[in-house]
Amino acid sequence: MKAIDFSFIIPVYNRPDEIRELLESFSNLEGQHDYEIVIVEDGSSETSELVIDKFSDELDISYYFKSNSGPGDSRNYGMQKAKGNYFIILDSDVLLPSNYLTAVKSFLSHSYYDCFGGPDAAHASFSNLQKAINFAMTSFITTGGIRGGKQKIDEFQPRSFNMGLSKKAFLASAGFGKIHPGEDPDLSIRLHQLGYKTTLIETAIVFHKRRVSWSKFYKQVHKFGMVRPILNQWHPNSKSMVYWFPTVFSLGFIASILLLLFHINFPLYLYGFYFLLAFILALISNQNIVVAFQALLAIFIQFFGYGYGFLKSTFYLVVLGRKPETSFPQLFF
């Protein structure tokens, strides 16, 4: 097998502090590795240039500035400029554990894939809110399973906050599309259609430092829900009943409240048991009772935000027969 030359591709938009923290984590990578870092400034008014200059003597960094065209197009731009034959795509709000690149190289040297994804986790230094949202986004009892849990290898859909892609696969697929969010599962599905396999490298973990508020979190998961019916329309073979789960969960919760008027309590007891289980798991994983309570709110927002977005998008596309680009222009660049 040909030697793998890695290029890290990182789009950034108005977040120099995130780039500083990410580059600091690069400085702490263990082992001797040859790699380059390609940072693409996506039309930012607050650039990362001064931050990058401070690391230029220590790290091999290429820095590009372009007009704002969205993260997918910026990743494509970075991959076109990159020198390596294997690209690792990161969001600017992640931190790398010291063993990250060692884990990736070890896995690919024994089991080569043209595309991989890695998990995200919360660092001990993160805020309670970040830890609570991380639990909601990654737990197997939430929509974390939908976002890319342990599925069969040939069905796994990597996410672009932590995603590897060979140059060969990039050239064959033309990279990411214009939709956002949803550009990463769209690319994964197209890669499968082209005959490329994807995999999960469980040891290639990043710490995902989501800088969100409750309102921003709702908007994010709402968009995730809106995107899925669009992907189902573009790629009918990707449809699955599991994507209906947040909608059914949310409608069922509303129905269980209404059933109390008729003295029917059992459905609400089931929801109570679910949230109790979620609380216990969040408490065990974080060892923090505040995070455990906040995780319940995060799960509630996640299910209702995703579920409502999925239902609304399905109504517009399936029932009304409208086109995604005209119905939801905010999802396209």
Side-chain angles (χ1 to χ4, degrees):
M1 185 184 71
K2 183 181 178 181
I4 300 176
D5 300 314
F6 290 103
S7 295
F8 286 88
I9 313 298
I10 307 165
V12 59
Y13 180 71
N14 288 335
R15 292 185 173 182
D17 288 342
E18 288 185 353
I19 290 297
R20 176 182 55 79
E21 293 178 341
L22 177 52
L23 292 179
E24 286 175 351
S25 71
F26 270 103
S27 301
N28 296 321
L29 288 179
E30 63 184 29
Q32 297 296 320
H33 308 293
D34 290 326
Y35 61 88
E36 67 166 339
I37 302 170
V38 180
I39 298 176
V40 181
E41 197 85 63
D42 188 23
S44 301
S45 57
E46 185 180 1
T47 73
S48 304
E49 186 172 6
L50 293 178
V51 172
I52 292 169
D53 285 343
K54 295 180 180 179
F55 290 87
S56 58
D57 292 335
E58 180 182 358
L59 300 170
D60 181 5
I61 306 175
S62 299
Y63 177 62
Y64 300 97
F65 187 96
K66 53 179 282 299
S67 59
N68 180 252
S69 58
D73 186 64
S74 294
R75 296 183 192 111
N76 292 343
Y77 183 91
M79 287 186 281
Q80 290 166 356
K81 298 290 186 180
K83 304 169 187 173
N85 58 22
Y86 207 102
F87 311 129
I88 299 180
I89 301 156
L90 303 173
D91 279 355
S92 62
D93 61 351
V94 304
L95 305 174
L96 298 181
S98 60
N99 68 334
Y100 178 84
L101 195 49
T102 301
V104 172
K105 290 180 69 174
S106 176
F107 183 95
L108 293 179
S109 64
H110 292 92
S111 303
Y112 184 83
Y113 284 82
D114 284 285
C115 182
F116 77 84
D120 56 336
H123 192 270
S125 65
F126 287 6
S127 69
N128 288 343
L129 174 61
Q130 289 169 330
K131 292 176 181 177
I133 290 178
N134 178 79
F135 178 83
M137 296 290 280
T138 60
S139 175
F140 71 94
I141 66 167
T142 68
T143 60
I146 297 176
R147 293 180 66 249
K150 294 182 181 179
Q151 305 164 352
K152 290 190 298 183
I153 284 177
D154 59 354
E155 294 179 357
F156 181 74
Q157 296 179 4
R159 294 298 188 262
S160 53
F161 61 79
N162 182 14
M163 179 180 188
L165 182 68
S166 71
K167 183 175 182 179
K168 177 183 176 182
F170 167 65
L171 294 175
S173 64
F176 295 93
K178 294 291 187 180
I179 193 170
H180 178 72
E183 70 275 18
D184 32 15
D186 171 60
L187 174 57
S188 298
I189 295 169
R190 287 188 285 110
L191 286 172
H192 293 159
Q193 293 170 347
L194 290 169
Y196 293 95
K197 290 185 177 181
T198 63
T199 190
L200 170 68
I201 303 181
E202 294 185 68
T203 54
I205 297 171
V206 299
F207 299 119
H208 203 173
K209 196 172 186 178
R210 299 177 179 89
R211 286 174 168 81
V212 294
S213 62
W214 290 119
S215 61
K216 289 180 179 179
F217 180 53
Y218 174 81
K219 291 178 182 177
Q220 181 186 50
V221 294
H222 182 65
K223 285 184 176 181
F224 288 159
M226 293 167 64
V227 159
R228 181 51 63 175
I230 297 174
L231 297 179
N232 290 344
Q233 187 180 82
W234 290 353
H235 310 290
N237 290 336
S238 71
K239 290 181 180 180
S240 172
M241 291 302 297
V242 71
Y243 297 126
W244 278 95
F245 178 64
T247 302
V248 173
F249 182 97
S250 302
L251 294 176
F253 183 81
I254 295 172
S256 69
I257 297 296
L258 295 176
L259 287 173
L260 291 178
L261 299 174
F262 303 96
H263 305 290
I264 302 175
N265 303 328
F266 182 71
L268 193 60
Y269 291 157
L270 293 178
Y271 280 92
F273 175 78
Y274 171 83
F275 282 108
L276 176 61
L277 176 62
F279 176 83
I280 294 173
L281 292 176
L283 183 60
I284 293 173
S285 63
N286 290 280
Q287 298 295 304
N288 186 316
I289 194 169
V290 176
V291 173
F293 277 114
Q294 288 185 325
L296 298 184
L297 178 58
I299 293 171
F300 193 84
I301 292 173
Q302 184 186 35
F303 276 122
F304 274 81
Y306 190 107
Y308 174 54
F310 184 91
L311 187 62
K312 178 170 66 175
S313 183
T314 299
F315 179 77
Y316 273 80
L317 301 182
V318 178
V319 179
L320 299 182
R322 296 183 182 179
K323 294 183 178 180
E325 294 83 356
T326 56
S327 297
F328 308 108
Q330 71 273 29
L331 301 178
F332 297 88
F333 279 88

